Amino acid sequence: MKKIFWKQGACAVAAVAILTGCSTTATNGQTQSVNTQEPEAAQTGPVTLTVWAEESDFDMLNGMITSFREHYADQADFEISLVPQPDSGTSDVILGDIHSAGDVFSFPDDQFSRLMAAGVLAPVDNAEAVSAANVAESIAAASYQGTLYAFPYTADNGYFLYYDKNYFTPEDVKTLDGILAVAESAGKQISMELTSGWYLYAFFGQTGLELGINEDGMTNYCNWNNAEGAVKGVDVAQSILNFTASPAFSCNADGEFIAKAQEGSVIAGVSGTWNATQIKEVWGEDYGAVKLPTFTCAGQQIQMSSFTGYKMMGVNAYSAHKDWAMKLADWLTNEENQTLRFVQKNQVPANSKAAASEEASRIPAVQAILDQSHHGNLQRVGNKYWNACTEFADTMIAGNPNDMDLQELMDNLTAGITASTAE
């Protein structure tokens, strides 16, 4: 892996004399004892830390790390390296070799349970302050049984609708029917990666049908094949078939969505804030972003749902410099640096003050993800969910070529989602 290093010299011997023990300060006429002991400040060797993060964030992280080492320059001799690690695979790599993991690492909240259960995450040592600074949902996503195990830094790991204002009015984008009608009339398409269970969930999350992970942390419960109630599993299946049958539907991963928007064939798409910059480059001032539309199901309009998510920094419980790693993770996720992420990357802050800024209110993608978050749920599913959804979506996109009974399709989907991990 490529690494980038920083080193900050410090007068370690002087630091030992200055930073050991207690001092007293006068406060309101009283003498207050202040503990000035830094856990690792007395060491004479360098504090070597490794940070795992997305390589696309390195330029931004450079500045954050520089300010960190400047702030603590008189307390330690730092050697901090950045190692590229895609967030999507962080838990897999770490659990493959726990002791070789970075001291600090970035990951999305859907990997939290695995990392916490494996004992990789060190509990946050200033949990009260971190909890007070960030939105409650992000703290819940980073906690287990009341203990905070990670530092949230974004609240934007979800999706919403991008659209080209040259084609759509605000009224058009309120319903999926309206969006498809405009796209069909214009000979254009709307993009959605339906073969990913992450996006397929949009059709189920607000229907009253249930999905979640069992207490074993590995298998799922799901009743998407429910044959009773106001909205049945087959009703949702029929709605999906209606969607995929439209000539305006196009199933694309993120890169394909951007490419087709650039060539002009796609004029709307379901994606997240990570594509905001590129979409604005394509559509300019005509780019719009709103919560997901409603869709027709069982004779009614149902709001499309989403998985909501957060990104966070974890501290390796096996770090040789765990105390300093904790300080670094806290620094990389503080209000100032979450604001910096927003300004440079359009990443929606988990920090309450940063998210409420005037600058954030002016960005369409930021407002869209915040509006959609009211209709979403945390992603908490076991591994069997993903392949089952892909197989089901492939059948839907192909138009159910074998004319299989929809109840049988839903039974098969639910059986796949709830299958034992041994199967």
Side-chain angles (χ1 to χ4, degrees):
M1 292 183 177
K2 184 193 304 180
K3 296 186 179 182
I4 300 178
F5 293 90
W6 291 262
K7 184 173 181 180
Q8 175 67 45
C11 297
V13 175
V16 174
I18 294 172
L19 296 171
T20 302
C22 295
S23 64
T24 58
T25 60
T27 305
N28 296 328
Q30 298 180 343
T31 300
Q32 179 182 9
S33 178
V34 179
N35 184 2
T36 59
Q37 176 70 47
E38 288 286 351
E40 298 185 54
Q43 63 184 31
T44 57
V47 173
T48 302
L49 297 171
T50 301
V51 179
W52 285 10
E54 294 276 1
E55 189 167 14
S56 60
D57 287 343
F58 277 14
D59 287 344
M60 177 179 61
L61 289 169
N62 285 346
M64 296 181 187
I65 292 174
T66 295
S67 63
F68 171 81
R69 60 186 179 86
E70 288 175 351
H71 183 81
Y72 291 106
D74 62 344
Q75 296 185 27
D77 178 10
F78 294 107
E79 291 184 357
I80 304 176
S81 61
L82 278 174
V83 175
Q85 171 57 55
D87 290 341
S88 60
T90 297
S91 62
D92 289 337
V93 176
I94 288 178
L95 297 180
D97 187 356
I98 290 176
H99 297 282
S100 296
D103 298 280
V104 177
F105 45 85
S106 171
F107 64 97
D109 72 88
D110 61 295
Q111 298 176 20
F112 172 80
S113 296
R114 294 181 69 204
L115 292 169
M116 186 280 302
V120 179
L121 298 171
V124 173
D125 59 4
N126 61 334
E128 186 173 344
V130 174
S131 297
N134 293 281
V135 296
E137 293 85 354
S138 70
I139 296 301
S143 301
Y144 178 72
Q145 294 186 346
T147 298
L148 184 65
Y149 285 92
F151 297 82
Y153 69 84
T154 75
D156 60 3
N157 197 27
Y159 45 93
F160 48 89
L161 180 76
Y162 286 105
Y163 68 98
D164 186 342
K165 294 179 182 178
N166 282 310
Y167 294 89
F168 300 97
T169 68
E171 190 66 25
D172 291 331
V173 296
K174 288 182 179 180
T175 68
L176 185 58
D177 291 339
I179 295 168
L180 290 173
V182 169
E184 288 175 7
S185 177
K188 303 293 184 179
Q189 292 184 309
I190 171 176
S191 174
M192 185 175 184
E193 191 182 359
L194 201 63
T195 51
S196 167
W198 205 53
Y199 293 104
L200 181 68
Y201 180 78
F203 285 94
F204 292 92
Q206 294 289 312
T207 60
L209 300 175
E210 297 181 352
L211 167 74
I213 195 165
N214 291 316
E215 290 185 3
D216 60 14
M218 300 175 66
T219 59
N220 303 304
Y221 63 84
C222 178
N223 71 342
W224 286 2
N225 63 335
N226 196 345
E228 300 178 353
V231 179
K232 306 175 182 62
V234 294
D235 297 326
V236 181
Q238 186 60 60
S239 296
I240 295 172
L241 273 177
N242 295 342
F243 176 44
T244 59
S246 168
F249 167 73
S250 182
C251 183
N252 304 292
D254 274 344
E256 295 172 306
F257 165 43
I258 298 299
K260 290 186 176 182
Q262 289 171 334
E263 69 183 27
S265 62
V266 163
I267 57 174
V270 177
S271 189
T273 56
W274 53 87
N275 275 327
T277 300
Q278 290 177 287
I279 286 296
K280 187 172 184 180
E281 289 175 355
V282 176
W283 293 333
E285 294 303 315
D286 292 314
Y287 111 85
V290 292
K291 72 173 180 65
L292 294 176
T294 62
F295 70 103
T296 302
C297 183
Q300 58 184 300
Q301 288 295 307
I302 296 177
Q303 173 62 49
M304 294 184 81
S305 188
S306 61
F307 277 130
T308 57
Y310 307 88
K311 286 191 177 182
M312 50 194 71
M313 291 282 183
V315 171
N316 191 339
Y318 298 95
S319 171
H321 303 290
K322 187 167 62 177
D323 293 320
W324 278 115
M326 196 72 68
K327 289 180 184 296
L328 179 57
D330 189 32
W331 187 272
L332 295 176
T333 60
N334 63 21
E335 178 186 346
E336 179 180 355
N337 285 323
Q338 286 197 40
T339 300
L340 184 65
R341 282 182 176 276
F342 167 69
V343 170
Q344 293 191 9
K345 294 281 189 174
N346 276 329
Q347 294 176 349
V348 182
N351 181 276
S352 300
K353 291 182 180 179
S357 70
E358 183 179 348
E359 292 83 357
S361 69
R362 294 197 294 262
I363 306 297
V366 172
Q367 293 310 301
I369 194 67
L370 292 175
D371 289 345
Q372 181 60 37
S373 68
H374 299 300
H375 309 290
N377 299 292
L378 279 173
Q379 178 186 310
R380 292 293 182 266
V381 294
N383 286 338
K384 289 293 183 177
Y385 172 76
W386 305 105
N387 287 341
C389 286
T390 298
E391 292 174 6
F392 171 78
D394 283 340
T395 300
M396 296 291 100
I397 292 170
N400 191 16
N402 296 324
D403 198 27
M404 186 178 295
D405 180 75
L406 292 187
Q407 185 62 55
E408 185 178 357
L409 275 173
M410 298 310 299
D411 288 341
N412 291 344
L413 171 61
T414 301
I417 290 173
T418 59
S420 166
T421 55
E423 294 181 33

